[in-house]
Amino acid sequence: MDVWQSNRITTAVEALRRPLKLHFIPFLAAGHMTPLCEMARSFAAYGHHVTIITTALNAISLENDVHLDIAAGHCINIHTLQFPSEEVGLPDGVENLTAVTDNDSLLKVCRAATSLLQKSFEDFVLQNPPDCLVADFMYPWAHDLAARLGIPRLVFNSFCVFSVCVMESIKKNPITGQDPHAFTIPDLPLPITMNIRPPIPFLKAIDKPLELEAKSYGLLVNNFVELDGVFVEHYNKITGHKVWHIGPTALIHRTEEETAKGTHKNEPCMSWLESRKPDSVIYICFGSSGTLPDNQLYEIACAMESCGHSFIWVVPGKDEAEKEEEKERWLPKGFEERMMKEEKGLILRGWAPQVKILGHAAVGGFMTHCGWNSVVESVGAGVPMVTWPLHSDQFYNEKLVTQVQGVGVEVGVEEWGVWVLDERKKTVKRDRIEKAVRRLMDEGEEGEEMRRRARELGEKAREAVKEGGSSHENLKTLIRELQETRDSKLVNAT
């Protein structure tokens, strides 16, 4: 063997020992970015080199966690790109869907993320080639980019596998007509009944991303296999595609102190919860972008006062300093003062520490829009739900919660929005809201059974992320497969 060949073999052996190099590209929306970046941190915790590629303002929201990882000796980096604010006609400071207040701005952020930033993403990846590219499914161009480099592309999908199975079924069995009556989704392992039909623009918007997703090396999901249940096997059967459940991500990097119930007293809402009885409070939140019209907020307020259950209600877009006449557009006169005096309710305007609230022993229910992160956070905390979907996959998620797992009550929404900020034309009336809350929160057999099921799922979620749990083992298996893929390529090159 000559010196040149010996050196090549030595170099190859050394390369086999090196950590994986992975690039993560999250979509510019909190519901996509948070779980994918938590997954990135998990790879870094195993000693692999991770780079998260995003824009400058989005990077700021990640810096605290990344600094903690670096302090712990993990190799993780954030590479920032210039957001094309002027080119899309957005003011400085708007680089995430959470920051927009209208559909026009929403579409501009989407255009910047999926189209105008493409070359910047590609240039960095091509100049700094990784062993694996992990990109949100909203970036279909990542398919060709990974192919050019000859590396695996993992797709992060903000949906659960159950919802993907429903989407695939609807794609193969197109819905015809506009019959508003209930119908059953065909070709699923369990009968799933929908009371409202998905809008055609939504079906068209997800068609191409899902098609390219199926051509990737595999799918990453913020979930644990026990929650998707029989639909994991069904997904493998109908697609033949690899999927790795690596979640709930909200539980992965939490310390025991952070997840312990009733130990968070630094926020006013957590102190308020300390005085409540176990399972007595319903938490109401429709996501960071889930704004409802004033007349709908008014109906929620009336329902909560009538049913008498304690609540914490998160209302984005409202100002503490609003005038009394402005407040009375969405709250009955004197409502907030009465609730505070009677210690029945607390209204939070803007952001709330959702994971902490759901983890408190006093919280016995969650009125939610069924965004996937909120669903999996509620399940992880063992809290049942009142389901109130607004748009996109949320209507499918609702069925997993209520019909498959039996840990929720449907409020009965009759309007399916295409975009998060779509105007709501139909109002859910107070009597329907009150009925759903009472079914969950009153001391009856139905509510208690849902709480029992939710607690069991919560325990399974916590076990999933521990050493030896399903999500923990999925991550280890995936890392091993990626290493084997890279190593076989290096050996063949020698």
Side-chain angles (χ1 to χ4, degrees):
M1 182 184 299
D2 59 30
V3 173
W4 178 79
Q5 187 176 9
S6 176
N7 287 340
R8 285 186 65 194
I9 293 174
T10 300
T11 301
V13 170
E14 290 175 349
L16 295 178
R17 295 172 181 159
R18 68 177 169 82
L20 287 167
K21 182 179 179 182
L22 306 107
H23 290 347
F24 287 75
I25 309 180
F27 184 63
L28 306 185
H32 293 241
M33 179 172 291
T34 300
L36 182 55
C37 290
E38 292 285 344
M39 289 181 183
R41 296 178 65 201
S42 295
F43 280 89
Y46 271 94
H48 300 285
H49 294 179
V50 166
T51 298
I52 299 170
I53 312 171
T54 188
T55 64
L57 279 181
N58 285 296
I60 293 173
S61 66
L62 307 175
E63 286 178 349
N64 285 340
D65 286 338
V66 169
H67 288 158
L68 287 174
D69 288 333
I70 292 173
H74 304 161
C75 188
I76 186 167
N77 177 55
I78 301 176
H79 177 75
T80 58
L81 305 175
Q82 180 69 37
F83 187 85
S85 300
E86 185 175 349
E87 195 170 349
V88 293
L90 284 170
D92 291 339
V94 179
E95 299 184 7
N96 191 294
L97 293 189
T98 307
V100 305
T101 56
D102 59 84
N103 276 334
D104 181 56
S105 297
L106 180 147
L107 292 173
K108 288 177 179 178
V109 172
C110 288
R111 177 173 172 247
T114 60
S115 178
L116 298 182
L117 281 169
Q118 178 179 343
K119 187 176 185 307
S120 296
F121 281 129
E122 289 180 337
D123 286 347
F124 176 79
V125 174
L126 290 172
Q127 292 166 16
N128 304 272
D131 297 313
C132 177
L133 182 64
V134 188
D136 194 288
F137 90 120
M138 292 292 289
Y139 298 122
W141 46 261
H143 175 76
D144 290 335
L145 177 58
R148 287 168 65 184
L149 290 168
I151 60 173
R153 174 183 69 112
L154 289 170
V155 175
F156 170 70
N157 191 323
S158 59
F159 306 144
C160 62
V161 166
F162 166 81
S163 291
V164 176
C165 289
V166 174
M167 293 175 195
E168 290 291 341
S169 177
I170 291 176
K171 183 178 179 180
K172 293 175 182 176
N173 304 276
I175 298 171
T176 57
Q178 295 298 319
D179 185 357
H181 297 100
F183 65 100
T184 300
I185 304 292
D187 303 331
L188 293 177
L190 295 175
I192 302 299
T193 302
M194 303 292 296
N195 300 319
I196 182 173
R197 295 173 181 268
I200 299 301
F202 168 63
L203 298 177
K204 289 182 177 179
I206 63 171
D207 186 44
K208 187 66 174 180
L210 287 177
E211 178 185 335
L212 287 176
E213 172 183 292
K215 297 178 181 179
S216 69
Y217 184 83
L219 175 64
L220 295 184
V221 183
N222 175 24
N223 198 7
F224 58 109
V225 293
E226 293 84 356
L227 182 53
D228 269 319
V230 296
F231 291 89
V232 179
E233 182 180 347
H234 181 71
Y235 177 82
N236 291 329
K237 178 181 176 181
I238 64 174
T239 68
H241 193 225
K242 293 181 178 181
V243 57
W244 287 276
H245 288 69
I246 305 176
T249 58
L251 298 177
I252 292 175
H253 302 287
R254 306 289 183 241
T255 64
E256 290 186 7
E257 180 183 356
E258 288 173 321
T259 54
K261 294 194 173 190
T263 60
H264 307 282
K265 301 179 182 179
N266 52 327
E267 291 99 350
C269 61
M270 303 309 297
S271 299
W272 184 84
L273 284 171
E274 288 297 308
S275 62
R276 308 291 101 188
K277 295 179 181 179
D279 295 330
S280 65
V281 177
I282 184 165
Y283 171 59
I284 306 170
C285 182
F286 296 89
S288 55
S289 301
T291 55
L292 295 174
D294 286 348
N295 63 331
Q296 183 62 82
L297 297 176
Y298 196 96
E299 293 296 311
I300 294 173
C302 291
M304 294 312 301
E305 185 162 22
S306 178
C307 75
H309 286 289
S310 297
F311 63 87
I312 288 183
W313 182 10
V314 182
V315 186
K318 298 299 182 181
D319 192 340
E320 289 280 2
E322 65 184 343
K323 296 179 180 178
E324 194 61 33
E325 57 266 28
E326 295 173 326
K327 185 189 293 187
E328 289 178 11
R329 292 173 187 166
W330 63 282
L331 288 177
K333 186 176 179 63
F335 174 84
E336 193 166 14
E337 292 75 13
R338 289 194 300 276
M339 294 301 99
M340 293 178 67
K341 182 179 179 181
E342 298 169 12
E343 296 188 340
K344 275 293 184 182
L346 188 64
I347 296 177
L348 306 179
R349 292 162 171 81
W351 180 85
Q354 179 160 297
V355 173
K356 292 181 180 181
I357 290 173
L358 288 171
H360 197 283
V363 175
F366 179 17
M367 185 184 293
T368 173
H369 65 311
C370 296
W372 183 246
N373 287 337
S374 288
V375 169
V376 80
E377 286 168 6
S378 191
V379 169
V383 176
M385 289 159 263
V386 170
T387 59
W388 189 323
L390 300 176
H391 62 89
S392 58
D393 63 309
Q394 295 167 7
F395 285 81
Y396 304 139
N397 299 339
E398 175 183 59
K399 302 305 176 182
L400 177 64
V401 169
T402 60
Q403 294 185 18
V404 178
Q405 296 295 351
V407 293
V409 176
E410 298 181 17
V411 79
V413 178
E414 298 176 345
E415 184 178 20
W416 191 325
V418 178
W419 304 108
V420 63
L421 296 173
D422 280 354
E423 182 181 353
R424 309 292 153 191
K425 298 178 181 179
K426 296 182 178 180
T427 303
V428 181
K429 298 300 183 181
R430 66 191 71 174
D431 57 341
R432 184 178 290 183
I433 302 169
E434 181 180 351
K435 181 180 178 181
V437 172
R438 286 188 177 280
R439 283 181 62 191
L440 182 65
M441 299 297 293
D442 281 359
E443 295 180 358
E445 290 185 8
E446 184 181 23
E448 187 51 43
E449 175 61 17
M450 282 186 277
R451 260 181 287 283
R452 184 190 67 77
R453 288 175 177 267
R455 285 192 290 267
E456 288 182 356
L457 279 175
E459 181 59 33
K460 290 177 181 178
R462 291 185 288 275
E463 290 297 322
V465 299
K466 292 180 181 178
E467 181 78 36
S470 58
S471 295
H472 187 269
E473 291 302 304
N474 277 339
L475 178 60
K476 288 168 61 178
T477 299
L478 174 56
I479 288 172
R480 185 166 59 249
E481 284 192 24
L482 292 175
Q483 288 175 316
E484 290 171 354
T485 299
R486 179 201 62 188
D487 295 351
S488 63
K489 180 180 175 182
L490 289 170
V491 170
N492 291 335
T494 62

